[in-house]
Amino acid sequence: MFKKPKTAMSTARVQPTWQELIRLERRLKRNKLLCRILQPVGSVIFLFNLLLCTANFALYLGGTLIEEYFTKMPLLPAMVEPFPRGSFGGVLAFTLCFSYLIPLAICGAITAVFYFLDRKKYGDKVEPLRGSEAECAKALVYQAETVYELRKQIPQWSIFTETSILTALTAIPIVYTCIAFAKGESPAVLEIAIGCLALLVCLFVLFWVYAALFKAFSLLNALFYYSPSEWSLYTQYHRLDAYRESVDPQEFAKREENARRLQAEKSRKRRKKTADDLLEDEEL
């Protein structure tokens, strides 16, 4: 596998790199806030919409068997009533569109508001970097470290809490059905067994189906605050740090002295350990 060679930092790239880092800092600050807002808001809306669509899907598949117990739930039956249930393809298409498009549209509107506020606050202007070559290199390194730390602060969103909640809510009508079968005048063992099997499917199979749907939504939602990877920013930091060493003799000399001192300390500890081992052998 061939790797693209890394381009060394040059003096001509100082000002453009500085502008890129300042803009990236603003973008990462906005993205960190957007992540904390969009993922909870989007997940709640997606969970509710997917719950409605699941109920609609169950009514299409189960018909009157599910409808009898589904109507005992508050509010949900009236909200699902106008949903289309003409064909399997129509129900599936409506489920995907209704579940994904509405929360993504709301999150997109929130993102647009934040982007507009940032443009109004900062514009597109960046103050140029001033100072000697060594001072500019030092400022670049500090700025690269700042954006790297900001990128690490953008949280990773977990989808398993919402998945568990939705699975539990979906199981409620099935639990009602099983209880009704068991309390009947002449409980049918087969019907109870089928109800318990449906409950197991809901708890174990639907959980992972919901997890996949939530994961897809989370990845789509994350596009609104897309940011460079931590690894790319870490690599950039080291590239700029190497450039600083090449243009700042004092910094280079200080680091060389620190490296020699560290190496001498390691050698001293190694010699002391060897002497202690020899002394222990003689005692034995």
Side-chain angles (χ1 to χ4, degrees):
M1 182 177 181
F2 296 98
K3 293 184 177 180
K4 185 179 179 180
K6 296 181 177 64
T7 304
M9 182 67 183
S10 63
T11 306
R13 285 288 306 162
V14 168
Q15 293 299 335
T17 303
W18 172 255
Q19 293 182 0
E20 291 169 5
L21 288 173
I22 293 296
R23 293 192 181 100
L24 182 57
E25 180 186 9
R26 297 170 182 172
R27 176 183 166 192
L28 290 175
K29 286 181 178 178
R30 181 177 71 242
N31 287 353
K32 184 173 73 169
L33 183 58
L34 278 172
C35 179
R36 296 175 186 273
I37 295 174
L38 295 185
Q39 286 292 8
V41 170
S43 295
V44 169
I45 300 172
F46 181 75
L47 186 152
F48 183 71
N49 286 2
L50 189 57
L51 176 62
L52 294 179
C53 291
T54 300
N56 187 56
F57 210 95
L59 286 173
Y60 170 75
L61 294 177
T64 56
L65 179 63
I66 297 294
E67 188 174 3
E68 180 181 353
Y69 303 97
F70 175 73
T71 52
K72 296 179 181 180
M73 299 185 69
L75 298 178
L76 205 57
M79 300 180 73
V80 174
E81 182 60 31
F83 287 3
R85 287 189 290 273
S87 64
F88 180 81
V91 172
L92 183 61
F94 175 80
T95 298
L96 294 176
C97 292
F98 186 75
S99 299
Y100 282 91
L101 292 184
I102 293 178
L104 288 176
I106 293 173
C107 291
I110 295 173
T111 303
V113 170
F114 274 85
Y115 181 79
F116 173 76
L117 293 175
D118 265 11
R119 292 286 294 182
K120 187 177 180 180
K121 181 178 180 180
Y122 298 112
D124 199 37
K125 295 181 180 179
V126 177
E127 290 294 326
L129 189 58
R130 295 184 176 87
S132 64
E133 193 174 32
E135 291 172 340
C136 290
K138 181 180 179 180
L140 281 177
V141 172
Y142 285 164
Q143 187 63 25
E145 184 179 11
T146 298
V147 297
Y148 173 65
E149 291 298 327
L150 274 173
R151 178 61 182 85
K152 289 199 300 181
Q153 293 170 16
I154 296 178
Q156 297 291 325
W157 188 257
S158 174
I159 50 89
F160 291 106
T161 300
E162 302 94 315
T163 303
S164 301
I165 293 172
L166 184 57
T167 304
L169 292 174
T170 306
I172 291 176
I174 302 177
V175 172
Y176 281 155
T177 305
C178 292
I179 293 174
F181 284 156
K183 287 183 176 180
E185 294 181 358
S186 56
V189 177
L190 180 60
E191 290 180 344
I192 296 175
I194 293 175
C196 292
L197 179 62
L199 181 60
L200 289 175
V201 170
C202 175
L203 293 177
F204 293 101
V205 177
L206 278 184
F207 177 86
W208 294 108
V209 172
Y210 286 145
L213 293 173
F214 266 103
K215 185 63 176 178
F217 173 77
S218 181
L219 292 174
L220 290 172
N221 205 19
L223 294 177
F224 291 121
Y225 54 89
Y226 176 78
S227 305
S229 67
E230 291 183 26
W231 176 250
S232 66
L233 296 181
Y234 181 76
T235 303
Q236 182 185 48
Y237 167 76
H238 281 282
R239 184 168 64 91
L240 294 177
D241 193 53
Y243 169 72
R244 182 188 177 187
E245 281 192 14
S246 68
V247 299
D248 191 342
Q250 293 182 350
E251 181 68 18
F252 180 77
K254 183 174 73 173
R255 295 186 183 188
E256 285 289 303
E257 180 61 28
N258 290 339
R260 282 194 295 268
R261 189 181 302 111
L262 182 62
Q263 186 63 34
E265 181 66 20
K266 287 182 178 179
S267 298
R268 186 185 67 79
K269 290 181 179 180
R270 193 181 301 114
R271 288 194 299 270
K272 184 177 183 301
K273 185 177 184 301
T274 303
D276 291 342
D277 291 342
L278 290 174
L279 183 60
E280 185 180 345
D281 292 341
E282 290 177 1
E283 290 177 352
L284 291 174

